[in-house]
Amino acid sequence: MIQTNRLDRGFYKYQREFEDKALEVLRSGWYILGSEVSSFEESFAAYTGAGYCVGVASGLDALILAFRALGIGKGDEVIVQGNTYIASVMGITINGATPVFVEPDEYYNMDPERIEEKITERTKALLVVHLYGQASDMGRILKICREHSLKLVEDCAQSHGSCFEGKMTGTFGDIGCFSFYPSKNIGAFGDAGAIVTDDEGIAKEIRILRNYGSEVRYHNKTVGMNSRLDELQAGLLRVRLSHAAELNDEKKAIAKRYDKELDNPCIILPKVRKGCDHIYHQYVIRVKERERFMNYLKENGVGTLIHYPIPPHLSEAYAYLGMKRGSLEITERYADEVLSIPMYNGMYSEEQDKVIEVINEYKGPVQDN
Ligand SMILES: *Cc1c(COP(=O)(O)O)cnc(C)c1O
């Protein structure tokens, strides 16, 4: 069975470096907020081109802390795309703010054409998700934020190193939020996350909030969280980050082969908007009668996953928003049709041969829009 992802391959690629670093940290006797974390923060800020980076415990925490640092909470509205991982929305609602959903464009990112109709006097911010690894149309989105004086937060959990017109995602808005969950393009070996920003005050605030609201030990200014990045993960992330370009290039090459060799009228391949990089966190196709297609692939030894089968506005967690099926037609159609096919660092070309062959031999309803 060819799985959708193989995290072990990503480990064995740099096994020696990961093992050496892990032993070094274990033997150091220092495990929380030390030199590995500060070195990683420095390197990751430099990698993205942001002024500051603060490591936190997860991507969700990065989002929660971002809205908190911006003072967004009860009574405020945040515009976000309907088709995202539910963590994006939780980052908003855990702070007491209300998510307002916008439909995606054909690139699966927030459709800039549909943002302005959602702006009210309560709208405080936009949360842009660079979904599946493709940068959003930041030119138009930035213009809207400026015209309406909105804060901008970027969810870069799937877009490490992906650029819009040469500038890295995460550096357009007030705060860029990253997850280093093991399956992300830059992945840890456990939970980890970070924020990047050019604003020194925001960086300082999040540094305090991640550590019980204290800057000086046992002097607590505010009710913070425990959301610290640990030394072991930070050290292992430094290894991964040192190979980031190579890791993204490998995924891009796999995607290029799919683009060229997948040939079946039943599926729609991912499109890339001009000026927007795609680092293929996932390679997402669309197909009608998805269940049947998935079963066919499974019977032929090809695994798939759905990112994501239930859009946040229809999940039980957000039943209180009172949104019914039909309220976001494009988002819901995508949720019914999207499918992620095998895509991972260390994928063998014979594995990709097989995926391509099996998909090309499938016969089903034609997918034309
Ligand atoms: C993975 C992910 C998150 C959450 O990251 P965690 O580290 O799992 O908390 C948030 N948003 C998006 C788009 C993601 O893919």
Side-chain angles (χ1 to χ4, degrees):
M1 186 77 172
I2 301 168
Q3 292 158 39
T4 326
N5 200 349
R6 288 286 303 261
L7 297 179
D8 54 335
R9 297 271 179 85
F11 165 68
Y12 285 114
K13 218 170 146 72
Y14 311 109
Q15 176 179 11
R16 196 53 206 272
E17 287 175 71
F18 287 130
E19 290 181 355
D20 287 352
K21 180 52 87 177
L23 275 178
E24 184 192 328
V25 175
L26 292 175
R27 288 169 175 165
S28 75
W30 193 282
Y31 307 118
I32 297 279
L33 297 185
S35 63
E36 293 293 341
V37 171
S38 38
S39 300
F40 174 71
E41 289 174 340
E42 229 167 82
S43 315
F44 197 69
Y47 173 71
T48 57
Y52 306 90
C53 168
V54 183
V56 296
S58 73
L60 174 59
D61 280 2
L63 290 159
I64 293 171
L65 290 167
F67 288 109
R68 183 156 168 198
L70 292 173
I72 290 168
K74 210 167 167 18
D76 298 332
E77 292 176 357
V78 178
I79 293 176
V80 59
Q81 68 218 55
N83 64 325
T84 182
Y85 181 51
I86 201 159
S88 316
V89 184
M90 288 187 179
I92 298 167
T93 61
I94 287 171
N95 282 288
T98 304
V100 174
F101 298 104
V102 179
E103 295 271 38
D105 57 20
E106 60 182 316
Y107 309 97
Y108 308 118
N109 280 328
M110 185 183 281
D111 187 345
E113 294 293 334
R114 295 166 184 264
I115 296 171
E116 282 182 296
E117 64 200 52
K118 299 284 182 178
I119 297 175
T120 72
E121 70 277 10
R122 289 166 178 254
T123 310
K124 289 283 151 53
L126 234 67
L127 173 60
V128 167
V129 187
H130 307 290
L131 201 70
Y132 306 143
Q134 178 165 198
S136 306
D137 186 359
M138 295 316 292
R140 284 202 285 168
I141 288 169
L142 269 181
K143 192 162 168 279
I144 293 169
C145 287
R146 289 202 185 107
E147 279 172 13
H148 298 269
S149 308
L150 300 176
K151 298 284 185 197
L152 175 60
V153 178
E154 297 176 72
D155 183 338
C156 306
Q158 305 189 359
S159 72
H160 316 73
S162 189
C163 293
F164 171 77
E165 292 179 353
K167 185 172 156 67
M168 275 215 196
T169 53
T171 62
F172 289 90
D174 297 275
I175 305 177
C177 299
F178 288 84
S179 163
F180 306 113
Y181 182 78
S183 68
K184 310 294 189 187
N185 279 41
I186 295 176
F189 292 82
D191 278 310
I195 65 97
V196 299
T197 182
D198 281 333
D199 185 319
E200 193 184 352
I202 287 174
K204 194 174 164 202
E205 172 82 4
I206 292 180
R207 243 174 245 291
I208 291 170
L209 287 172
R210 77 171 169 185
N211 195 20
Y212 297 115
S214 81
E215 197 177 4
V216 179
R217 205 176 214 183
Y218 305 132
H219 292 254
N220 302 79
K221 293 161 97 126
T222 173
V223 181
M225 298 168 54
N226 172 355
S227 183
R228 300 174 297 219
L229 176 60
D230 66 74
E231 287 284 283
L232 189 57
Q233 297 307 334
L236 296 170
L237 279 168
R238 285 178 66 202
V239 174
R240 194 87 78 178
L241 184 59
S242 72
H243 299 291
E246 186 184 328
L247 290 167
N248 277 347
D249 284 349
E250 185 186 7
K251 283 192 149 187
K252 284 187 214 171
I254 295 169
K256 204 166 172 180
R257 247 201 96 188
Y258 277 145
D259 289 343
K260 213 167 101 201
E261 297 179 35
L262 284 177
D263 180 20
N264 190 322
C266 304
I267 64 171
I268 290 194
L269 299 179
K271 297 183 193 68
V272 181
R273 185 195 283 275
K274 205 164 160 278
C276 298
D277 280 355
H278 201 324
I279 55 151
Y280 299 97
H281 169 59
Q282 303 294 348
Y283 191 92
V284 176
I285 62 175
R286 274 194 293 123
V287 61
K288 294 201 193 298
E289 296 180 21
R290 179 177 60 194
E291 184 85 17
R292 183 178 144 205
F293 182 64
M294 283 177 84
N295 286 335
Y296 160 84
L297 292 181
K298 196 169 157 198
E299 278 159 23
N300 288 281
V302 176
T304 52
L305 284 172
I306 302 167
H307 298 98
Y308 299 90
I310 304 172
H313 73 286
L314 297 182
S315 81
E316 204 182 327
Y318 290 115
Y320 72 86
L321 293 173
M323 294 180 75
K324 297 274 171 293
R325 186 163 256 282
S327 55
L328 293 170
E329 280 178 17
I330 302 170
T331 297
E332 292 163 20
R333 180 157 63 84
Y334 286 175
D336 291 340
E337 295 179 354
V338 291
L339 193 65
S340 306
I341 63 174
M343 159 64 73
Y344 46 88
N345 290 116
M347 188 174 190
Y348 305 146
S349 62
E350 305 82 66
E351 288 172 331
Q352 200 177 5
D353 292 343
K354 166 109 188 266
V355 175
I356 292 166
E357 185 192 314
V358 169
I359 290 179
N360 286 349
E361 280 172 5
Y362 174 75
K363 289 185 181 58
V366 170
Q367 172 62 292
D368 50 15
N369 67 342

